[in-house]
């Protein structure tokens, strides 16, 4: 089987996980220039911002980089569900003096589209990755037309087999330890979600494409362990969140550096989709997997003003403090240095 380095044109079998809302071009450039695969999270970017970020990456590196998109199916708005969600948040609106009637509704995150594919075709990124499954065949064909390699997250063996059938070039095995959103798409049953080092060898046995381990890998020893279980490479996110290239907020940085980072949970409160973050006030008080929360990604709009108000006071009580279960690898060192330090575990 072709190595991940050969497949993607990189020197080190390490992918910097796309960290939506926490990083942009600076981190992607630094990791790619260090020999890994830098990533740009695109699900929250407008077309204008995406173009600007791609122009900056093109100016900053000649190495391969990854652009990451969501492939979810937008839900039909449900007024009753939205009303129930805002009712659950009403005590907090009163606490912060927010008029709920002034809060607009909105999706927050858009799936990969024809418009995005057309924009990408001008820049021809070497790698395009997806979360929540894949877009339709016509969009995939457009991506492949300029020679891009396609990666996608799998959280179960059936998802990995399905992705291989669709012709993906490599599969990211996302364990339950991973920070941020679960990438599941064939089922939304959380009881199917297992740890990285249980999932990885099962997917390696089930498919014939390179498998990239993701979730809970925070240092060179973790990289070495993933390699020993058959991974062709690793994807690491949380460890990069204290680097100078990250735009992690002050409350989020404080949480990552303190004892709070020892307790994470999957929560639907911030977007509607299960995503792992450091437990904070709103997660404790409403329950991390509250049935009141709007469906993904519609929960974002109603809670966003609470996040803004709290962060203005230096608090992360209403912020999505995304983190994997293993934050001990977080270091306040340049992303390039961290990349090389992590990759040392592969040798």
């Amino acid at each position: 089987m072709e190595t991940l380095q050969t497949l993607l044109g990189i020197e080190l079998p390490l992918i910097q996980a796309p960290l939506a809302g926490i990083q942009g071009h600076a981190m992607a450039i630094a990791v790619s220039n260090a020999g890994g695969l830098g990533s740009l999270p695109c699900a929250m970017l407008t077309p204008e911002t995406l173009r600007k970020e791609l122009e900056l990456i093109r100016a900053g590196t000649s190495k391969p980089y990854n652009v990451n998109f969501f492939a979810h199916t937008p839900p039909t708005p449900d007024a009753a569900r939205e009303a129930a969600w805002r009712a659950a948040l009403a005590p907090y609106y009163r606490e912060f003096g927010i008029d709920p009637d002034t809060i607009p509704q909105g999706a927050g995150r858009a799936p990969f589209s024809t418009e995005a594919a057309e924009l990408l075709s001008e820049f021809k990124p070497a790698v395009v990755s997806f979360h929540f499954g894949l877009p339709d065949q016509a969009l995939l064909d457009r991506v492949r037309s300029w020679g891009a390699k396609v990666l996608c997250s799998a959280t179960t063996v059936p998802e990995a087999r399905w992705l291989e059938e669709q012709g993906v070039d490599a599969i990211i095995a996302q364990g339950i330890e991973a920070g941020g959103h679960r990438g599941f798409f064939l089922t939304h049953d959380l009881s199917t979600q297992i740890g990285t080092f249980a999932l990885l060898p099962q997917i390696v046995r089930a498919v014939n494409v390179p498998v990239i381990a993701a979730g809970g890998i925070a240092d060179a020893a973790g990289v070495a362990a993933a390699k020993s279980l058959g991974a062709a490479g690793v994807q690491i996110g949380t460890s990069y969140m204290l680097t100078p290239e990250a735009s992690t907020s002050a409350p989020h940085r404080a949480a990552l550096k303190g004892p709070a980072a020892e307790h994470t949970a999957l929560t639907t409160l911030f977007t509607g989709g299960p995503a792992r973050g450091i437990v904070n006030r709103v997660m404790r008080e409403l329950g991390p997997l509250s049935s009141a929360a709007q469906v993904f990604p519609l929960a974002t709009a109603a809670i966003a003003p609470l996040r803004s108000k709290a962060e203005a006071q230096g608090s992360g009580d209403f912020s999505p403090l995304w983190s994997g279960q293993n934050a001990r690898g977080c270091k306040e060192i340049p992303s390039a240095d961290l990349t090389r330090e992590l990759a040392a575990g592969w040798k």
Side-chain angles (χ1 to χ4, degrees), residues 254-322:
L256 287 165
K257 289 193 281 188
E262 296 172 8
H263 187 193
T264 68
L266 292 175
T267 181
T268 53
L269 296 180
F270 300 106
T271 66
R276 183 172 297 283
I278 297 169
V279 174
N280 59 6
R281 176 189 168 190
V282 72
M283 290 167 67
R284 286 190 296 268
E285 292 181 357
L286 292 185
L289 297 172
S290 172
S291 59
Q294 252 287 25
V295 296
F296 179 84
L298 301 179
T300 309
I303 202 167
L306 293 168
R307 173 185 181 176
S308 296
K309 288 277 191 179
E311 286 189 355
Q313 298 173 11
S315 167
D317 283 345
F318 295 87
S319 302
L321 304 174
W322 302 142

Side-chain angles (χ1 to χ4, degrees), residues 13-14 219-228 339-347:
L14 187 148
D219 53 24
V223 172
K227 182 182 182 184
S228 73
T339 300
R340 287 186 283 264
E341 192 175 291
L342 291 164
W346 197 262
K347 296 171 183 176

Side-chain angles (χ1 to χ4, degrees), residues 100-187:
D101 292 334
T102 65
I103 303 171
Q105 297 186 34
R109 288 158 177 80
F112 190 60
S113 63
T114 301
E115 183 180 20
E118 284 300 312
L119 200 163
L120 290 186
S121 68
E122 299 176 37
F123 295 87
K124 299 180 171 55
V127 182
V128 181
S129 65
F130 296 99
H131 214 50
F132 309 122
L134 295 169
D136 66 39
Q137 192 60 50
L139 286 172
L140 281 178
D141 289 345
R142 189 78 179 95
V143 166
R144 292 185 172 118
S145 70
W146 64 78
K149 302 301 181 185
V150 174
L151 312 184
C152 187
S153 302
T155 68
T156 63
V157 171
E159 286 179 349
R161 289 196 177 110
W162 184 87
L163 290 173
E164 184 179 37
E165 289 168 3
Q166 310 310 308
V168 301
D169 296 286
I171 292 168
I172 300 161
Q174 188 197 32
I176 192 72
E177 303 96 323
H181 287 89
R182 302 304 303 148
F184 54 11
F185 56 93
L186 290 185
T187 176

Side-chain angles (χ1 to χ4, degrees), residues 15-130:
I15 300 171
Q16 163 249 313
L19 302 167
I22 289 169
Q23 55 105 179
H25 64 276
M27 184 181 292
I29 291 168
V31 174
S32 287
N33 283 338
L37 185 71
S39 300
L40 179 70
C42 302
M44 295 168 64
L45 303 182
T46 64
E48 295 75 23
T49 303
L50 176 56
R51 176 180 293 281
K52 193 173 298 181
E53 288 288 286
L54 291 171
E55 287 172 346
L56 288 164
I57 292 175
R58 184 164 62 183
T61 186
S62 59
K63 303 286 186 68
Y65 61 91
N66 166 43
V67 289
N68 176 259
F69 291 87
F70 289 174
H72 62 287
T73 301
T76 303
D78 182 332
R81 185 75 180 262
E82 182 69 22
W85 178 218
R86 293 183 181 226
L89 296 175
Y92 303 120
Y93 293 150
R94 289 193 291 271
E95 178 183 336
F96 285 95
I98 295 169
D99 179 358
D101 292 334
T102 65
I103 303 171
Q105 297 186 34
R109 288 158 177 80
F112 190 60
S113 63
T114 301
E115 183 180 20
E118 284 300 312
L119 200 163
L120 290 186
S121 68
E122 299 176 37
F123 295 87
K124 299 180 171 55
V127 182
V128 181
S129 65
F130 296 99

